[in-house]
């Protein structure tokens, strides 16, 4: 019996992603000047206002308000009537230093040579051989469609689009999990007022959907476009935004587990982010090296403790190796302390704006996506 599975992505103009992008832009700006910066930057956006809060301890001298305005401009918001205007929106900044209680947990771990984890929690990494970048096929194409929407908006191929948008891709799978074809594509995209929506639908179908998804997957599919009708008001004017609210979009589209911690705006001492990247690195390399066809890694940490509390591996019956063998292989191959993760992946540098949109995984230029020999 065939089954269906759906994953979602959003464009860079989605109000939550706008907030993520501001948070990661602030983080990058700090790391450019001070690689040891401790950053936990949160953003709220809504109806002409941007509120930036959180904890930052850094030697960097940055203009947070100007960073936010530049980011909003880069995304393309310049109209307060349909979204937000980077020139006139009100920006409120309320930043304090990192709590000394948290700082001492990171700096004063039991092993004085290693950073302690910046928080307790559990992180997951996942990889599958369904696609060439080892992502589940549903989130792989959802991200590519969302990125293509931004591309045709910015290059003028479809000049009637505005920044906000969401994409869902539903694939049909065999009972053993092999992807067959697309069942449904749902695209909701902001647009200028007064255009013919049927013409826009055909433009998006021909210049986005059929450009991104191979013909072999489009034999018989449903295309749902702006199902509620027009979508003129978007961004923070249509809905409030918040850093860290798109954690499933950021990871594996619901295919794998998620520990609950968000990524954007956090420096790499926060294992919510860095250990999730490391778990993906491990899972991808186990699959790429032939140890499994699918692999999910869980790593758990305690605040102030350098070594993980636990490691778990699930290969979903696709490996000839035992979990015990794979855990031993992981522990002897990878340093899973926060210091080891930061060093292995070279994380104290301004690379985080590149992660914000269209998924934190599957981009070959990011360090946790590199394939090594195990």
């Amino acid at each position: 019996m065939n089954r269906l599975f759906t994953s979602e992505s959003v464009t860079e103009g989605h109000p939550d992603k706008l907030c993520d992008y501001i948070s990661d832009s602030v983080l990058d700006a700090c790391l450019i000047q001070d690689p040891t910066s401790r950053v936990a930057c949160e953003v709220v956006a809504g109806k002409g206002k941007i509120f930036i809060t959180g904890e930052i301890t850094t030697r960097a001298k940055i203009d947070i308000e100007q960073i936010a305005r530049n980011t909003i401009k880069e995304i393309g918001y310049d109209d307060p009537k349909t979204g937000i205007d980077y020139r006139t929106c009100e920006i409120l900044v309320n930043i304090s230093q990192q709590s000394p209680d948290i700082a001492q947990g990171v700096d004063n771990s039991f092993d004085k040579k290693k950073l302690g984890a910046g928080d307790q929690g559990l992180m997951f990494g996942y990889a599958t051989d369904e696609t060439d970048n080892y992502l589940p096929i549903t989130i792989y194409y959802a991200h590519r469609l969302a990125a293509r929407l931004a591309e045709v908006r910015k290059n003028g191929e479809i000049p009637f689009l505005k920044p906000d948008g969401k994409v869902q891709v539903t694939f049909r799978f065999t009972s053993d999990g092999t992807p067959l074809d697309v069942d449904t594509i749902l695209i909701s995209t902001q647009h200028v007022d007064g255009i013919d929506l049927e013409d826009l639908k055909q433009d998006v179908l021909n210049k986005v959907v059929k450009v991104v998804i191979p013909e072999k997957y489009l034999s018989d599919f449903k295309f749902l476009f702006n199902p509620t009708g027009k979508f003129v008001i978007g961004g923070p004017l249509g809905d409030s935004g918040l850093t860290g609210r798109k954690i499933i979009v950021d990871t594996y589209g619901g295919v794998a587990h998620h520990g609950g911690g968000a990524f954007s705006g956090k420096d790499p001492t926060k294992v919510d982010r860095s250990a999730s990247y490391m778990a993906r690195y491990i899972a991808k390399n186990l699959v790429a090296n032939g140890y499994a066809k699918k692999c999910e890694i869980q790593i758990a940490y305690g605040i102030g403790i350098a070594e993980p509390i636990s490691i778990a591996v699930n290969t979903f019956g696709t490996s000839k190796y035992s979990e015990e063998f794979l855990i031993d292989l992981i522990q002897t191959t990878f340093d899973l302390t926060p210091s080891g993760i930061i060093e292995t992946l070279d994380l104290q540098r301004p690379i985080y704006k590149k992660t914000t949109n269209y998924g934190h995984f599957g981009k070959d230029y990011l360090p946790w996506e590199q394939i090594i020999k195990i």
Side-chain angles (χ1 to χ4, degrees), residues 5 14 21 29 41 51 63 93 148 159 178 188 200 216 226 231 240 283 291 319 343 360 373:
F5 193 86
H14 186 281
Y21 203 41
C41 181
F51 179 59
D63 185 339
V93 179
R148 178 66 179 166
T178 302
S188 297
L200 183 59
K216 66 180 180 179
N226 282 11
F231 183 1
S240 61
Y291 287 94
S319 176
E343 181 178 354
H360 288 243
K373 185 176 181 180

Side-chain angles (χ1 to χ4, degrees), residues 77-320:
Y77 278 122
D78 57 5
D79 186 352
K81 295 180 181 178
T82 59
I84 197 169
D85 190 334
Y86 71 93
R87 294 162 295 202
T88 60
C89 64
E90 183 179 358
I91 296 179
L92 306 173
V93 179
N94 178 33
I95 296 290
S96 58
Q97 288 197 333
Q98 184 181 54
S99 161
D101 294 347
I102 296 174
Q104 73 175 356
V106 177
D107 296 330
N108 301 320
S109 71
F110 295 116
D111 182 345
K112 300 300 182 183
K113 297 180 180 179
K114 296 180 178 180
L115 294 172
D119 202 353
Q120 67 187 55
L122 47 138
M123 298 82 206
F124 289 90
Y126 181 80
T128 172
D129 65 0
E130 280 178 9
T131 60
D132 58 7
N133 67 0
Y134 299 91
L135 282 182
I137 197 168
T138 47
I139 193 66
Y140 174 81
Y141 282 114
H143 284 325
R144 292 187 64 190
L145 288 172
R148 178 66 179 166
L149 278 175
E151 182 182 358
V152 297
R153 168 174 62 90
K154 292 179 176 180
N155 69 18
E157 285 187 65
I158 308 181
F160 311 110
L161 297 180
K162 300 285 277 184
D164 199 357
K166 300 179 80 172
V167 172
Q168 280 183 196
V169 176
T170 302
F171 257 79
R172 187 180 293 106
F173 295 82
T174 64
S175 58
D176 67 356
T178 302
L180 290 172
D181 56 11
V182 173
D183 180 82
T184 306
I185 293 173
L186 167 56
I187 294 179
S188 297
T189 182
Q190 188 186 13
H191 56 83
V192 299
D193 201 6
I195 65 167
D196 186 297
L197 290 180
E198 186 57 35
D199 288 345
L200 183 59
K201 178 180 180 179
Q202 291 304 311
D203 267 354
V204 171
L205 176 62
N206 293 320
K207 297 179 181 180
V208 177
V209 174
K210 292 184 177 180
V211 169
V212 166
I213 299 185
E215 186 178 354
K216 66 180 180 179
Y217 292 133
L218 297 178
S219 56
D220 181 22
F221 74 102
K222 297 181 285 291
F223 180 42
L224 307 177
F225 181 78
N226 282 11
T228 62
K230 72 176 185 179
F231 183 1
V232 173
I233 295 174
L237 185 60
D239 191 9
S240 61
L242 181 65
T243 296
R245 199 155 53 183
K246 286 290 176 282
I247 58 175
I248 300 303
V249 172
D250 285 344
T251 52
Y252 307 103
V255 173
H257 289 92
H258 197 296
F263 298 161
S264 290
K266 296 178 180 178
D267 75 83
T269 66
K270 279 74 171 175
V271 285
D272 277 346
R273 184 169 211 165
S274 56
S276 294
Y277 292 168
M278 191 63 166
R280 161 65 176 177
Y281 183 60
I282 296 168
K284 180 174 181 178
N285 275 287
L286 288 179
V287 174
N289 279 269
Y291 287 94
K293 294 175 68 64
K294 293 181 184 178
C295 183
E296 182 179 73
I297 309 291
Q298 187 206 55
I299 311 173
Y301 289 88
I303 188 168
I305 302 171
E307 296 288 346
I309 288 174
S310 68
I311 306 169
V313 179
N314 185 358
T315 57
F316 308 92
T318 67
S319 176
K320 64 181 181 181

Side-chain angles (χ1 to χ4, degrees), residues 347-373:
L347 296 181
Q348 289 182 315
R349 53 193 173 112
I351 59 174
Y352 296 100
K353 282 177 64 175
K354 297 177 181 179
T355 70
T356 311
N357 294 303
Y358 317 117
H360 288 243
F361 307 119
K363 300 170 180 173
D364 290 342
Y365 52 82
L366 294 172
W368 47 92
E369 294 297 318
Q370 305 309 304
I371 296 174
I372 61 173
K373 185 176 181 180

